[in-house]
């Protein structure tokens, strides 16, 4: 198995580097902002939340954290103030209400809402749940601000080059296609592998859609866009492989077996060469 270098690892997933840089900034700021940061853990949690692969994922996770904190805090404060002298008894009730609220209305942020609710009722906001909610939100916002700053300044690949994550998936899919060898002896065993190729293609298309929707990596999208070209080539390759598969299964009754097989085998090789050229050109 090929060992992935640290440079390649960071190129494929820069989240680790982003988190380390953000935490370093937070530690350096702590002597200055120590009087305002009540819960440093929440600062670090927020930093981790913002360290996502794409801009869209970063915004989504940050909004979930903020909304979940507000909803969970307000719910916990309500339950706490409803029975201030026996709020520990209300812990399971508060947790159940948090889950129900998430399911009925938001259908998101469930874990954040439940955790905040339970934390307040357990005693984090002992006597002052609103103060706890305020401090928690403030610390979260500091972490998010640091995370967004690092995200904005973190060096990214030029728009003309493909996302390294996409290229990595391209290479894996191409390797699986090249590994398929169709012959009469084991043709029947290829069905699951061909099905796996289709699944990989679907996953590759979803990755492309995410990158384009996010617009963090690709500046211009058109019919010549390399990611689209590659998915089209993959589909052509799999179609040729399926024809080779079915022709081989019907070898005994197919009068033009050799002609059909040779034609689609050459067509498949041609597509594979085009895929290799495309990857080499844009990596």
């Amino acid at each position: 198995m090929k060992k992935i270098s640290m440079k390649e690892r960071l190129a494929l997933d820069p989240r680790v580097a982003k988190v380390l840089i953000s935490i370093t900034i937070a530690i350096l700021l702590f002597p200055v902002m120590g009087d305002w940061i009540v819960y440093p853990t929440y600062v670090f949690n927020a930093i981790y939340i913002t360290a996502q692969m794409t801009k869209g994922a970063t915004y989504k996770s940050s909004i979930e954290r903020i909304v979940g904190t507000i909803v969970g805090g307000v719910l916990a404060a309500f339950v706490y103030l409803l029975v201030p002298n026996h709020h520990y008894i209300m812990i399971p009730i508060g947790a159940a209400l948090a889950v129900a609220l998430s399911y009925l209305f938001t259908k998101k942020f469930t874990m954040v809402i439940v955790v905040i609710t339970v934390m307040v009722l357990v005693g984090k906001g002992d006597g002052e749940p609103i103060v706890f909610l305020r401090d928690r939100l403030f610390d979260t916002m500091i972490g998010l601000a640091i995370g967004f700053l690092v995200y904005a300044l973190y060096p990214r690949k030029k728009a003309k080059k493909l996302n390294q994550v996409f290229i990595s998936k391209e290479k894996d899919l191409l390797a699986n296609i090249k590994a398929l060898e169709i012959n009469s002896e084991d043709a029947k065993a290829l069905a699951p592998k061909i099905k796996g190729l289709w699944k990989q293609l679907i996953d590759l298309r979803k990755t492309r859609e995410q990158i384009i929707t996010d617009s963090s990596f690709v500046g211009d999208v058109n019919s010549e866009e390399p990611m689209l070209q590659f998915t089209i080539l993959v589909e052509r390759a799999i179609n040729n492989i399926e024809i080779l598969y079915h022709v081989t299964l019907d070898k005994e009754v197919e009068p033009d077996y050799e002609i059909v097989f040779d034609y689609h085998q050459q067509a498949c090789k041609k597509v594979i060469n085009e895929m290799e050229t495309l990857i080499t050109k844009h990596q």
Side-chain angles (χ1 to χ4, degrees):
M1 184 176 179
K2 183 182 177 181
K3 186 177 180 181
I4 302 176
S5 67
M6 182 58 67
K7 183 178 180 181
E8 290 176 319
R9 193 180 298 276
L10 290 177
L12 291 175
D13 190 349
R15 287 175 293 184
V16 175
K18 291 179 183 178
V19 169
L20 291 176
I21 295 171
S22 299
I23 289 178
T24 301
I25 293 174
I27 292 173
L28 293 175
L29 288 176
F30 190 76
V32 179
M33 303 187 66
D35 293 337
W36 292 279
I37 299 176
V38 181
Y39 303 104
T41 304
Y42 301 147
V43 176
F44 297 145
N45 286 345
I47 286 173
Y48 178 77
I49 287 296
T50 56
Q52 302 295 325
M53 289 295 295
T54 63
K55 182 170 59 181
T58 298
Y59 289 157
K60 180 177 179 293
S61 60
S62 301
I63 290 172
E64 288 181 359
R65 170 67 55 159
I66 295 170
V67 175
T69 299
I70 294 174
V71 174
V74 171
L75 175 63
F78 172 76
V79 175
Y80 185 98
L81 296 174
L82 190 65
V83 190
N85 297 324
H86 301 88
H87 59 276
Y88 288 101
I89 302 175
M90 300 298 290
I91 292 174
I93 298 175
L97 287 173
V99 173
L101 185 66
S102 302
Y103 179 76
L104 292 175
F105 297 101
T106 64
K107 295 187 178 179
K108 297 178 181 179
F109 333 130
T110 302
M111 286 306 300
V112 178
I113 294 173
V114 173
V115 169
I116 297 297
T117 302
V118 172
M119 285 178 68
V120 173
L121 294 176
V122 164
K124 281 287 186 179
D126 193 14
E128 296 181 322
I130 303 301
V131 174
F132 168 77
L133 177 59
R134 180 201 64 193
D135 294 338
R136 165 80 188 231
L137 276 174
F138 185 75
D139 294 340
T140 297
M141 294 304 295
I142 291 175
L144 293 178
I146 294 173
F148 275 119
L149 177 65
V150 172
Y151 182 92
L153 299 178
Y154 192 86
R156 284 172 283 178
K157 297 186 72 63
K158 295 180 180 179
K160 293 182 179 179
K161 292 189 177 181
L162 287 177
N163 179 355
Q164 288 297 310
V165 174
F166 191 87
I167 291 179
S168 176
K169 291 188 176 184
E170 284 182 331
K171 290 180 178 179
D172 290 341
L173 183 49
L174 178 58
N176 289 337
I177 290 175
K178 293 171 69 175
L180 280 180
E181 292 185 6
I182 298 178
N183 53 64
S184 57
E185 286 76 18
D186 61 354
K188 293 182 179 180
L190 291 178
K193 295 181 180 180
I194 295 174
K195 185 178 180 180
L197 291 178
W198 283 116
K199 289 182 178 179
Q200 278 189 280
L201 176 57
I202 292 172
D203 180 59
L204 195 66
R205 284 173 171 165
K206 288 181 179 178
T207 302
R208 173 183 172 270
E209 289 174 4
Q210 181 184 4
I211 293 172
I212 291 174
T213 301
D214 179 82
S215 74
S216 297
F217 298 96
V218 182
D220 183 28
V221 179
N222 51 56
S223 60
E224 300 299 320
E225 178 251 307
M227 291 186 293
L228 177 61
Q229 286 182 310
F230 189 86
T231 57
I232 292 173
L233 290 174
V234 171
E235 185 172 1
R236 283 170 52 191
I238 299 176
N239 283 332
N240 280 302
I241 290 172
E242 282 203 326
I243 292 173
L244 291 171
Y245 165 72
H246 289 293
V247 168
T248 303
L249 288 180
D250 299 331
K251 178 180 179 181
E252 302 301 329
V253 296
E254 176 58 57
D256 299 321
Y257 164 73
E258 292 185 0
I259 296 175
V260 176
F261 188 92
D262 290 342
Y263 174 82
H264 286 284
Q265 188 178 50
Q266 293 301 317
C268 189
K269 288 181 179 179
K270 181 180 178 182
V271 173
I272 289 175
N273 290 335
E274 291 181 34
M275 292 162 66
E276 289 178 331
T277 302
L278 194 61
I279 291 176
T280 303
K281 182 179 178 182
H282 293 99
Q283 66 180 349

